[in-house]
Amino acid sequence: KPGRYLDLGSGDKLLNLGSHSYLNLGERPEVEEAALECLHKYGVGSCGPRGFYGTTEVHLKLEERLANFFNCEKAVLYSYGFSTSASAIPAYSKSGDIIYADEMVNFALQRGLQASRSRVVYFRHNDVEHLEELLEEQARLDKKDPKKANATRKFMVIESIYMNTGKMCPLPELVKLRQKYKLRLYIEESVSFGTLGPNCRGITDHYNIPMKEVDMIMATLETSAASSGGFCVGTKFVIEHQRLSGLGYCFSASLPPMLAAASIKVLDILEAEGSDMVMELQNKCRQMQEKLANIHDKVTVTGEDISPVKHLKLAESTGNREADEGILQKIVEKAESYSVALTLASYLWDREANPPPPSIRITVNKDLTTEEIKKACDSIQKAVVDVMG
């Protein structure tokens, strides 16, 4: 289990700033015990897709718990985080529909947009005014052809905290546009699940926006939940449709029961201690942001101050992506010699719809101490100076 410290093969213990277990719940003994207890009862795998011998009472219990946790009618489980959004979007949006998506949505969402065969319209990252311009333009076209407009469904796809930038979406403004232009709103909450809101429910909880304003929430269990797989929550009508049309649900072997049992225990912990955990994590995120902001004039940090994901980029690009990546990779390697484990943000450059600039993705977990954060930032500063002067 990747905890606060890890060994990458050199024998040295490195401070881990590369894993996405923001709450470090994978290290909690009760989570491991729940998984082992289920393992002895059900074995390792579930032996088939959900609709064909793959459903156990543990899957049904986790779906019920997730629905209750998010105050929604229903939840549906997927066995792989990537397949969640990549399957859920094309289950609803079809050829002839229009999807408005932020240009910085992650690759899993992009694959879902592509698989839907809908017309995808990207708006500038977190630019509400640009989105409204695009919606106004479509509204004018709709008036010219009302028959076609009535047959065309419109969707908005966003992330709560963007994995590619660490920025938080302006949800209250987006909800107003959703109401005005009659859009179906889908939010990907993988980074914000367990890290935002007094009840750990993500961005709707953070902004106190009722769930009725959102048609579907998608998230992975591979970040704060310290497990594997993914889920969608929403109304009964929306969720049940995926049991027939979500390809990742219908055709993949279901989530191993022991991982579902681990996720149930994680929900127990979040319900009991989540409010304090979120506050503690956000405090560490602010500390990290503050210290990273001033480490060197040749690098810059992007991301919300309370986001557990931050990106360290070159202040000025060389003009060549591979050269930029090479410089950042040297910084990663130097940081390792100073006992800090970092990782380059990896992308499939030739397949990304709007490739972000190369960056080092830095993640924060709640168990980092103030001294460890200071040590990490000092080490990164030394590495940057060694590489860039």
Side-chain angles (χ1 to χ4, degrees), residues 59-214:
H59 295 110
L60 299 175
K61 184 179 179 184
L62 177 54
E63 287 178 339
E64 183 183 347
R65 288 293 304 277
L66 284 166
N68 291 337
F69 184 81
F70 281 92
N71 288 331
C72 291
E73 291 178 9
K74 283 281 184 179
V76 61
L77 271 180
Y78 286 81
S79 52
Y80 180 40
F82 188 96
S83 70
T84 305
S85 47
S87 298
I89 292 170
Y92 302 99
S93 186
K94 305 294 181 185
S95 176
D97 295 334
I98 304 172
I99 304 177
Y100 294 91
D102 190 291
E103 64 180 1
M104 282 298 149
V105 292
N106 65 48
F107 191 61
L109 284 170
Q110 290 174 39
R111 298 309 272 179
L113 299 175
Q114 185 181 22
S116 73
R117 293 176 293 116
S118 305
R119 180 160 74 87
V120 180
V121 180
Y122 286 104
F123 59 92
R124 287 192 291 271
H125 185 40
N126 276 350
D127 190 335
V128 178
E129 289 179 4
H130 184 224
L131 173 58
E132 186 157 22
E133 285 172 19
L134 296 170
L135 291 167
E136 272 295 331
E137 185 183 332
Q138 185 59 43
R140 285 194 293 272
L141 292 173
D142 289 347
K143 283 179 183 174
K144 292 177 183 176
D145 192 348
K147 189 176 178 183
K148 183 181 178 184
N150 286 335
T152 302
R153 295 174 301 172
K154 301 178 184 69
F155 299 80
M156 188 197 307
V157 174
I158 54 173
E159 285 180 72
S160 49
I161 295 178
Y162 288 86
M163 183 66 79
N164 290 349
T165 66
K167 291 283 188 182
M168 196 187 303
C169 75
L171 188 59
E173 291 94 325
L174 294 172
V175 165
K176 287 175 185 171
L177 290 184
R178 168 207 179 274
Q179 294 167 339
K180 182 177 177 181
Y181 293 95
K182 310 261 186 312
L183 304 172
R184 293 167 170 85
L185 176 58
Y186 292 172
I187 307 178
E188 213 275 359
E189 295 245 31
S190 292
V191 179
S192 59
F193 170 47
T195 70
L196 277 186
N199 302 297
C200 307
R201 293 185 195 127
I203 195 132
T204 52
D205 193 21
H206 177 77
Y207 284 118
N208 196 26
I209 288 173
M211 276 301 301
K212 66 178 184 181
E213 297 293 353
V214 180

Side-chain angles (χ1 to χ4, degrees), residues 5-16 332 336 340-342:
Y5 285 88
L6 43 78
D7 179 1
L8 295 179
S10 63
D12 298 327
K13 289 289 183 187
L14 309 178
L15 186 63
N16 180 9
V332 169
E336 191 177 326
V340 174
L342 301 173

Side-chain angles (χ1 to χ4, degrees), residues 274-337:
S275 182
D276 293 337
M277 292 172 110
V278 166
M279 289 176 64
E280 191 178 349
L281 173 64
Q282 291 183 359
N283 183 39
K284 302 291 169 58
C285 292
R286 288 190 187 97
Q287 290 179 39
M288 183 71 81
Q289 183 91 4
E290 192 180 324
K291 294 198 178 302
L292 284 174
N294 302 309
I295 60 169
H296 201 287
D297 59 358
K298 290 188 177 177
V299 293
T300 181
V301 63
T302 65
E304 217 72 40
D305 60 346
I306 59 171
S307 166
V309 174
K310 304 182 187 302
H311 287 263
L312 197 69
K313 300 187 290 191
L314 300 179
E316 287 187 25
S317 170
T318 62
N320 181 288
R321 192 190 72 231
E322 290 178 359
D324 289 355
E325 279 191 305
I327 293 168
L328 293 169
Q329 183 59 43
K330 286 177 185 173
I331 293 172
V332 169
E333 289 162 6
K334 275 289 178 185
E336 191 177 326
S337 70

